[in-house]
Amino acid sequence: MKRICLLLFVVIAFTFQTNAQLLKDAKKLLNTKGKGLTEKDASDGIKEALINGTGESVKLVSALNGYWGNPEIKIPFPPDAREMESKLRSIGMGKKVDEFNESMNRAAEKAGSEAKPIFVSAIKEMTVKDAINIVRGENNAATMYLKQTTSPQLMQKFQPIIKTSLDNVDATKYWNDLITIYNKIPLVKKMNPNLSEYVTQKAIDGLFVMIAKEELKIRKWFDDFAQANNI
């Protein structure tokens, strides 16, 4: 219980303080040996930490270049249209393809901020057992919990926003133009993948990549601290 409570303190403090202040406060808590801290305290702590961590991830993806400027989550040309991309580039349409690629990512950035209330709602509904299991679980336990509990709501919330955003940033126009040009090329297989569904799923996937990175960063800091202090 002592280790769990210390971890919960660390992940909350990590969000707000410098490492020097965090170290000082964590050592102070260590000296108390966790007295007075309950599993309910630990549960409340992990919920607050998750709200802060997911909030930071949402902030990162919804900023300008949150997707487009991040190679880890940048949304590529739809995979079932890669041949189409290659063909279009070969006939001098590379600039149009690049404009379309950027517009997809801009649409995802515009939708990103809508994820925060969904995460907050899921986290607040978490039980004490769920919270403790996350602390004791694998390095991506919190990320997987949120993925399982929020993905349907995220898809439902994101898709209409993505669709509107695709229109607003001209992605739909670029896509329709590219499809029209491609489908006129002799002997190619005609295609028109569902663009909003594809961008929505990739936007959600990218968001969870960033959440996993935040979770890992916090856990690594704690593991290093715990090892240095023989916790």
Side-chain angles (χ1 to χ4, degrees), residues 1-229:
M1 185 61 196
K2 171 185 170 184
R3 182 180 174 90
I4 291 173
C5 290
L6 180 57
L7 173 56
L8 268 297
F9 175 84
V10 169
V11 294
I12 296 168
F14 187 91
T15 310
F16 300 106
Q17 302 179 159
T18 64
N19 282 353
Q21 183 61 40
L22 173 58
L23 183 60
K24 178 181 176 181
D25 290 348
K27 284 184 174 179
K28 181 179 178 181
L29 181 67
L30 180 60
N31 290 333
T32 72
K33 298 182 180 179
K35 291 179 180 178
L37 294 173
T38 66
E39 285 197 347
K40 176 64 165 56
D41 295 325
S43 174
D44 291 344
I46 192 61
K47 287 181 181 182
E48 183 175 348
L50 286 173
I51 288 172
N52 291 329
T54 54
E56 180 62 22
S57 299
V58 167
K59 181 180 176 181
L60 288 171
V61 301
S62 58
L64 181 64
N65 291 324
Y67 284 90
W68 181 241
N70 185 342
E72 283 190 282
I73 62 173
K74 181 178 177 181
I75 301 175
F77 211 85
D80 52 351
R82 292 286 165 77
E83 183 179 348
M84 170 181 162
E85 177 185 15
S86 178
K87 287 276 189 183
L88 289 171
R89 289 189 184 280
S90 71
I91 61 172
M93 297 296 295
K95 185 173 184 296
K96 286 290 185 184
V97 169
D98 292 337
E99 288 174 342
F100 165 69
N101 272 350
E102 180 177 356
S103 67
M104 279 195 304
N105 286 270
R106 297 301 183 210
E109 290 161 10
K110 285 180 178 293
S113 61
E114 298 296 325
K116 186 173 182 178
I118 295 174
F119 287 136
V120 170
S121 177
I123 291 165
K124 286 183 176 180
E125 292 176 4
M126 187 183 293
T127 66
V128 171
K129 183 178 179 180
D130 289 332
I132 299 302
N133 285 342
I134 283 173
V135 176
R136 291 172 171 163
E138 300 294 328
N139 284 340
N140 66 344
T143 303
M144 294 307 298
Y145 176 89
L146 290 172
K147 196 169 187 177
Q148 291 165 6
T149 56
T150 65
S151 288
Q153 298 98 307
L154 287 171
M155 181 64 75
Q156 184 178 27
K157 184 75 172 178
F158 268 39
Q159 191 151 9
I161 297 168
I162 289 285
K163 188 176 186 306
T164 299
S165 296
L166 288 169
D167 292 338
N168 290 342
V169 298
D170 288 334
T172 304
K173 179 182 181 301
Y174 290 137
W175 181 242
N176 290 337
D177 290 347
L178 291 175
I179 286 288
T180 299
I181 294 168
Y182 176 75
N183 285 341
K184 288 180 180 178
I185 299 175
L187 304 179
V188 299
K189 179 183 177 181
K190 303 294 187 289
M191 61 175 61
N192 190 11
N194 187 318
L195 185 60
S196 64
E197 185 176 303
Y198 168 72
V199 177
T200 299
Q201 187 60 61
K202 296 301 289 184
I204 293 171
D205 291 346
L207 177 55
F208 281 115
V209 168
M210 301 308 293
I211 289 174
K213 286 172 68 69
E214 286 294 308
E215 180 179 4
L216 186 61
K217 179 173 67 175
I218 292 171
R219 287 181 182 272
K220 184 180 184 306
W221 196 100
F222 173 74
D223 287 342
D224 292 343
F225 176 83
Q227 184 175 4
N229 291 276

